[in-house]
Amino acid sequence: MKFKYHFLLIFCLFILVNPLKARKKKVLVLHSYHQGLNWTDNITRGIQSVFNQYDNLELQFEYMDSKRNSDSIYLKEFAKLYELRHHDIPFEVIIASDNNALEFVRKYQDIYFKDIPVVFASIDQFDESLIAGMDNVTGVTEFIDFKRTIQEALRLHPKAKNLVVINDNQTTSAIINRNYIKSFWPEIDTDINLVFLENLSIKELVSQVKSLDESNIILLLNFSKDQDGNYISYQENIEIISEATKLPIYSSWVFYLGEGIVGGMLTSGFDQGKLSAQIALRVINGENINQIPYVTSGYNSLIFDYNQMKRFGIKPNELPKGSRIINLPMTFFEKNKSYLLLTFVFLLLIVLIVLYTRHIRKRNENRLFAINKDLELNKTRLLRMLDSNSDGVWEHNFKTECFTCSKQIWLNLGYDLDLIKNTIEFVYAHIHPDDKIIVKERRLDYLKGKTKTFEVVFRFCNAEHEWMWYKGKGKILDRDEDNAPINMVGTLIDITQRKLAEEQVHEDKKQIIASEKRWRSLVEQAADEILIHDFTGEIIDANSSACKIFGYNHKDLLQMNVASFDCKYTRLNLEAYWNMLSPQNSSLSIESIQKRADGSTFPVEMNLSLIDLEEDRLILAVVRDISKRQETERKVLNAVIKTEETERRRFAKDLHDSIGPLLSSINLYLSALNRTDEEEKKQRIVKVSREAVTEALVSIKEISNNLSPHILSDFGLEKAIDSFTHKLKVSESINITFHAENLNERLNEQIEVVIYRVVTELINNTIKHAKANNIEINLSREKIDLKLIYIDDGIGFDIRKTESDKSTGMGLHNILSRVRSLNGTYKMKSKFENGGMMTIISVPLESKENL
């Protein structure tokens, strides 16, 4: 027991004394730019290629994103963010990638990085001033050999007259590179003009690049920001430039290789990251950082793209010695190395076989006669072996006219072997009549030497009198001295299932064609415009409605881009919507404004759907003209505004006519009360005042009830309509009959309010315009619907004219908009000649919008 306690005590002391040994050493990689940028990601991969080999090291990455955000306010906020995330972490070493990261470390070394070794990487135009005041610092400088790239480009294109340098002149590195090229240009012995394309928008850049003729070559530097301040990735700028021109493009960065540049003296971010990680590893292993010199080489090399070389007629032997070429096709030997080796082995084997054959030829000659005697026996044995095959063999003897088939053929056909006759006539009797001629013709062609083998497909009758498909092959085995055939042997294969499958495929193809025609017919008959386009907006197909709406013929429409119609969104905006489509989000809807061929515009609703094919992904755009819908919405809005304004004026009039006089009377009564001392007169004044107050309260209640009837919220739809119609009956100017069925339970509040307003609006319209004597209202609940039938015997009117007349149809539009808000339906009938009006309204009670 004592030994166990001692062991436990020693183990605990070991853990307490050596806690840090179990922890991983932390290394911070501070990138100047953002994750996803090719250059930054390549440096990261280079660093990881070194550190991933060690389990005791942990990499942490931080991205300043200074290429897209470079103002001083952002950098101050980034410093605060760094303090929150990393200030208390004991890093073994910090790798600062690119100039902005090194400047950040130098500026805040005493605050955040004190006593922490710093290894920089990819420092453009390195100078000792960049690390002034810093301790414990070394790293990899970046020397981009633009001069060598330019020299090779001019040498490979001797007919060029201009070297066009594309540079944004916005970022710090772009300005440094521009000035560097200008500094050494006089040293290059050439008459070629140096031209800079700088401070341009993307559109201007594309336009100027397209205008360049064949006397120009292009050197691509930095184009990360255009004149408008828009950020452009390296991948995007090389795509834009290579699409805009067919001129040779050179650069000095590896990440452009394979994307459209010919090549050059290219700088590798991966190699710079790897070299900086190796220095950091030496520091972690205890080496003094101040004794480690700067690394100034090992990351530049001449690399060219064979695909681009081929475009401009550049041969590999014209490149400098030691150049690397990507996409270089393999030589004949490299392509066929295994085949050539196999051929050599085969030839060697043939030689050995020939030598061996010569050695044993004499011995074999003595055995030939014995072998010939056994041929017939072997032939018979072979036929018996083939009988067990799932297909079958046959033999035709031209001398005896005996036709023999293997047993397996007849068994497959279901025949009794005892009833089989070995004659050619017996076989022909079971071949389909339409195929006999074909079999005989193919047999005759072979015997005349027109075909190398006898081969035919035909139908054969089985024992069940069903036609089965067979494929027969044959070849002459023996000939006599006059070269006349003696024996012909062959195989017979049952291909019935294959034939049935082919017929099914043919039928399926017909159905697919018919389905395509039906689909095309549906698309062509659609009232909406339908466009099919790719993810760049290029139109693949369009229906006749689209041609009619836009005013273009089908041929012209297929040569256009969807973005050329749109007046609201740019092409980049539309591409952002298109890229939102995926198998998980296969459709979306947007509203826009499109332009016709005559220049007129119209509002549309676009329903975009993803068509995900095996070979390609396309977009189906169903575009609907919503001019009328927007007009209807404006009409409804105007009706609502007008109704609200009418209600306000009526409410003000009621207050002025009803409450105003009563309050004025009360004020007079109170004034008179102050002027008299007679008790009896005071009592009369108080009594009259109370009566005026009571009357004012009643008036207020009536006004409030007209605005929002309390009986509707307290007792429901049936009681509210009954109360409203009862008040109108008192006037005896019109007779109103109201019936309600199955309304024992309260309905949804929204439905009750809308139906109440619809009924009151209909009654007001009848009283105001119809001059009716009778109104009949029927309200019933039928399963999941609420049904309202409204009938009056007033004068008729033209419903279509009323609906289209904006000045007189607001009441009707108000009714219809209320019904549509509940996803309800309506039917309205009236005849101007006969008079009367009937309205039938049905509202679903279980609609999601009504819950």
Side-chain angles (χ1 to χ4, degrees), residues 200-293:
L200 301 174
S201 65
I202 298 175
K203 184 176 180 181
E204 292 172 343
L205 175 63
V206 171
S207 176
Q208 293 200 25
V209 170
K210 284 185 177 180
S211 67
L212 297 175
D213 58 25
E214 295 180 356
S215 65
N216 296 273
I217 56 177
I218 295 175
L219 176 64
L220 175 59
L221 298 185
N222 301 72
F223 202 83
S224 301
K225 282 187 178 180
D226 68 355
Q227 187 182 40
D228 301 326
N230 297 316
Y231 168 75
I232 308 168
S233 67
Y234 296 138
Q235 181 73 23
E236 186 177 4
N237 67 46
I238 184 62
E239 288 179 359
I240 292 172
I241 295 169
S242 60
E243 288 178 4
T245 182
K246 294 183 179 179
L247 297 175
I249 305 171
Y250 289 80
S251 188
S252 294
W253 288 279
V254 167
F255 51 74
Y256 284 134
L257 193 65
E259 301 294 335
I261 68 168
V262 178
M265 180 62 79
L266 304 184
T267 297
S268 170
F270 177 90
D271 291 338
Q272 292 192 37
K274 183 177 180 179
L275 292 169
S276 64
Q278 290 172 348
I279 295 175
L281 189 62
R282 291 167 63 183
V283 174
I284 293 172
N285 291 332
E287 192 170 346
N288 187 350
I289 191 172
N290 295 312
Q291 296 179 358
I292 301 176

Side-chain angles (χ1 to χ4, degrees), residues 125 179 360 656 731 820:
Q125 302 295 316
N179 295 335
I360 65 172
H656 180 271
S731 65
R820 281 195 292 267

Side-chain angles (χ1 to χ4, degrees), residues 129-401:
S129 62
L130 297 179
I131 57 173
M134 296 182 67
D135 299 320
N136 300 326
V137 60
T138 189
V140 181
T141 67
E142 181 184 69
F143 171 72
I144 302 176
D145 198 349
F146 294 114
K147 186 175 182 180
R148 184 64 185 278
T149 298
I150 292 173
Q151 289 173 336
E152 294 303 327
L154 298 181
R155 185 180 64 80
L156 294 173
H157 301 275
K159 295 182 179 180
K161 296 181 180 179
N162 301 297
L163 176 65
V164 179
V165 181
I166 296 177
N167 193 38
D168 59 28
N169 207 29
Q170 300 287 328
T171 59
T172 303
S173 58
I175 297 172
I176 292 174
N177 293 335
R178 176 185 188 277
N179 295 335
Y180 175 57
I181 291 175
K182 283 190 172 184
S183 68
F184 69 71
W185 181 255
E187 301 173 10
I188 299 178
D189 185 16
T190 181
D191 295 327
I192 290 178
N193 298 317
L194 180 64
V195 180
F196 282 87
L197 294 183
E198 299 175 318
N199 298 322
L200 301 174
S201 65
I202 298 175
K203 184 176 180 181
E204 292 172 343
L205 175 63
V206 171
S207 176
Q208 293 200 25
V209 170
K210 284 185 177 180
S211 67
L212 297 175
D213 58 25
E214 295 180 356
S215 65
N216 296 273
I217 56 177
I218 295 175
L219 176 64
L220 175 59
L221 298 185
N222 301 72
F223 202 83
S224 301
K225 282 187 178 180
D226 68 355
Q227 187 182 40
D228 301 326
N230 297 316
Y231 168 75
I232 308 168
S233 67
Y234 296 138
Q235 181 73 23
E236 186 177 4
N237 67 46
I238 184 62
E239 288 179 359
I240 292 172
I241 295 169
S242 60
E243 288 178 4
T245 182
K246 294 183 179 179
L247 297 175
I249 305 171
Y250 289 80
S251 188
S252 294
W253 288 279
V254 167
F255 51 74
Y256 284 134
L257 193 65
E259 301 294 335
I261 68 168
V262 178
M265 180 62 79
L266 304 184
T267 297
S268 170
F270 177 90
D271 291 338
Q272 292 192 37
K274 183 177 180 179
L275 292 169
S276 64
Q278 290 172 348
I279 295 175
L281 189 62
R282 291 167 63 183
V283 174
I284 293 172
N285 291 332
E287 192 170 346
N288 187 350
I289 191 172
N290 295 312
Q291 296 179 358
I292 301 176
Y294 306 140
V295 176
T296 60
S297 61
Y299 45 78
N300 289 340
S301 56
L302 286 168
I303 312 176
F304 297 86
D305 187 346
Y306 181 81
N307 293 335
Q308 300 298 322
M309 292 168 57
K310 188 175 180 182
R311 285 181 57 200
F312 303 106
I314 302 173
K315 298 179 180 179
N317 58 10
E318 296 176 2
L319 300 180
K321 187 177 180 180
S323 298
R324 289 169 48 199
I325 304 177
I326 68 167
N327 297 322
L328 184 66
M330 293 187 294
T331 64
F332 176 81
F333 179 77
E334 291 173 337
K335 287 183 179 179
N336 303 282
K337 184 177 180 180
S338 58
Y339 296 103
L340 292 174
L341 182 61
L342 183 61
T343 301
F344 174 78
V345 173
F346 180 76
L347 291 175
L348 181 62
L349 183 61
I350 292 295
V351 172
L352 293 174
I353 291 173
V354 170
L355 293 175
Y356 179 74
T357 301
R358 288 180 179 180
H359 176 71
I360 65 172
R361 183 174 56 186
K362 290 184 179 180
R363 186 180 64 182
N364 289 338
E365 288 176 352
N366 296 329
R367 300 173 57 187
L368 285 177
F369 291 105
I371 293 173
N372 287 331
K373 292 181 180 180
D374 294 332
L375 283 177
E376 288 297 328
L377 180 62
N378 291 335
K379 179 181 176 182
T380 303
R381 187 181 298 114
L382 177 60
L383 291 173
R384 290 176 180 175
M385 292 172 61
L386 291 174
D387 278 341
S388 62
N389 190 3
S390 59
D391 299 322
V393 295
W394 53 270
E395 180 182 13
H396 181 204
N397 190 300
F398 292 93
K399 301 296 183 182
T400 63
E401 287 299 327

Side-chain angles (χ1 to χ4, degrees), residues 724-725 728-729 734-738 763 767 773-777:
F724 182 80
T725 57
L728 295 176
K729 289 179 184 179
I734 191 168
N735 180 37
I736 301 177
T737 305
F738 172 59
I763 293 174
I767 294 173
N773 296 319
N774 298 285
I775 296 175
E776 182 179 346
I777 304 172

Side-chain angles (χ1 to χ4, degrees), residues 760-776:
T760 58
E761 188 74 28
L762 287 171
I763 293 174
N764 288 334
N765 284 345
T766 298
I767 294 173
K768 185 176 180 181
H769 303 291
K771 300 178 182 179
N773 296 319
N774 298 285
I775 296 175
E776 182 179 346

Side-chain angles (χ1 to χ4, degrees), residues 432-701:
H432 195 283
D434 296 340
D435 299 337
K436 287 181 182 179
I437 298 175
I438 299 175
V439 174
K440 291 180 179 180
E441 288 179 350
R442 299 288 172 83
R443 180 174 174 270
L444 187 60
D445 289 343
Y446 173 66
L447 293 176
K448 289 182 178 180
K450 294 182 179 180
T451 58
K452 293 183 179 181
T453 59
F454 168 69
E455 186 172 340
V456 66
V457 175
F458 61 94
R459 284 163 287 183
F460 207 88
C461 185
N462 64 10
E464 302 295 331
H465 302 288
E466 298 172 342
W467 295 108
M468 300 184 67
W469 285 93
Y470 276 87
K471 183 176 183 180
K473 286 186 177 182
K475 203 166 188 179
I476 294 173
L477 184 63
D478 301 314
R479 292 181 182 270
D480 60 15
E481 296 176 354
D482 298 327
N483 202 32
I486 299 175
N487 284 315
M488 185 175 177
V489 297
T491 59
L492 204 59
I493 303 173
D494 184 357
I495 61 170
T496 304
Q497 294 300 322
R498 191 186 77 184
K499 273 290 185 180
L500 293 175
E502 290 175 353
E503 292 175 358
Q504 184 62 43
V505 169
H506 180 69
E507 183 63 28
D508 292 344
K509 186 176 180 180
K510 288 172 60 179
Q511 292 181 4
I512 290 172
I513 294 173
S515 176
E516 183 179 354
K517 289 181 179 179
R518 288 194 298 272
W519 181 85
R520 170 59 64 179
S521 176
L522 290 173
V523 170
E524 287 300 320
Q525 294 175 12
D528 296 333
E529 58 178 284
I530 298 177
L531 301 173
I532 298 176
H533 60 86
D534 59 19
F535 275 77
T536 65
E538 297 300 323
I539 298 175
I540 309 300
D541 201 356
N543 68 345
S544 56
S545 294
C547 299
K548 182 178 179 181
I549 290 174
F550 286 117
Y552 295 99
N553 60 44
H554 189 264
K555 182 179 179 181
D556 292 339
L557 204 58
L558 297 188
Q559 297 177 355
M560 302 180 74
N561 192 288
V562 173
S564 63
F565 304 138
D566 208 289
C567 300
K568 181 177 180 180
Y569 299 108
T570 64
R571 181 172 178 175
L572 293 176
N573 296 142
L574 291 173
E575 287 181 354
Y577 282 113
W578 298 336
N579 291 328
M580 291 169 63
L581 294 173
S582 65
Q584 293 74 29
N585 182 28
S586 60
S587 63
L588 60 88
S589 297
I590 60 174
E591 290 189 2
S592 186
I593 300 174
Q594 293 187 339
K595 180 173 62 178
R596 299 184 180 91
D598 60 4
S600 62
T601 61
F602 59 103
V604 296
E605 179 183 61
M606 293 188 291
N607 294 309
L608 307 178
S609 302
L610 179 66
I611 305 176
D612 198 352
L613 305 177
E614 292 183 359
E615 298 179 355
D616 202 357
R617 298 173 68 208
L618 301 174
I619 296 173
L620 174 66
V622 180
V623 185
R624 179 171 300 163
D625 186 344
I626 59 173
S627 303
K628 292 184 179 179
R629 190 184 77 185
Q630 290 186 351
E631 178 63 25
T632 301
E633 290 174 352
R634 286 193 294 269
K635 187 182 294 184
V636 170
L637 178 61
N638 290 336
V640 171
I641 294 172
K642 183 175 180 181
T643 300
E644 290 178 350
E645 188 62 28
T646 301
E647 285 297 313
R648 290 190 185 99
R649 287 197 296 268
R650 185 181 63 80
F651 179 62
K653 185 176 181 303
D654 289 345
L655 289 176
H656 180 271
D657 295 345
S658 300
I659 306 302
L662 292 173
L663 294 177
S664 298
S665 299
I666 293 171
N667 185 42
L668 291 174
Y669 295 152
L670 293 176
S671 298
L673 187 64
N674 290 331
R675 291 194 301 268
T676 182
D677 294 329
E678 298 178 11
E679 188 64 29
E680 183 179 352
K681 191 173 183 179
K682 286 183 177 181
Q683 291 298 325
R684 287 199 307 270
I685 293 173
V686 170
K687 181 180 179 181
V688 174
S689 299
R690 287 179 178 176
E691 292 174 353
V693 170
T694 302
E695 186 176 353
L697 291 173
V698 171
S699 297
I700 291 173
K701 184 175 182 182

Side-chain angles (χ1 to χ4, degrees), residues 30-153:
L30 180 62
H31 280 297
S32 296
Y33 308 131
H34 57 278
Q35 189 176 16
L37 187 69
N38 291 356
W39 176 256
T40 299
D41 291 346
N42 287 339
I43 294 176
T44 296
R45 290 191 300 105
I47 294 172
Q48 290 175 332
S49 69
V50 175
F51 282 100
N52 286 348
Q53 304 176 37
Y54 301 91
D55 295 332
N56 64 330
L57 299 178
E58 178 182 345
L59 283 173
Q60 293 189 18
F61 293 88
E62 189 61 61
Y63 299 87
M64 293 179 64
D65 199 11
S66 62
K67 187 171 286 293
R68 297 184 295 193
N69 302 280
S70 57
D71 60 276
S72 58
I73 297 176
Y74 168 81
L75 294 176
K76 289 181 181 179
E77 294 300 320
F78 176 80
K80 295 178 182 178
L81 177 63
Y82 179 87
E83 181 177 11
L84 291 173
R85 298 180 63 175
H86 304 295
H87 182 51
D88 295 327
I89 299 177
F91 292 114
E92 297 290 329
V93 65
I94 293 175
I95 300 177
S97 167
D98 288 287
N99 295 55
N100 292 341
L102 178 61
E103 174 61 21
F104 180 87
V105 173
R106 187 177 72 86
K107 183 175 181 180
Y108 295 97
Q109 185 176 35
D110 293 336
I111 302 174
Y112 303 136
F113 312 103
K114 194 173 184 62
D115 300 327
I116 301 177
V118 177
V119 177
F120 55 77
S122 181
I123 304 303
D124 192 16
Q125 302 295 316
F126 177 78
D127 186 83
E128 290 290 336
S129 62
L130 297 179
I131 57 173
M134 296 182 67
D135 299 320
N136 300 326
V137 60
T138 189
V140 181
T141 67
E142 181 184 69
F143 171 72
I144 302 176
D145 198 349
F146 294 114
K147 186 175 182 180
R148 184 64 185 278
T149 298
I150 292 173
Q151 289 173 336
E152 294 303 327

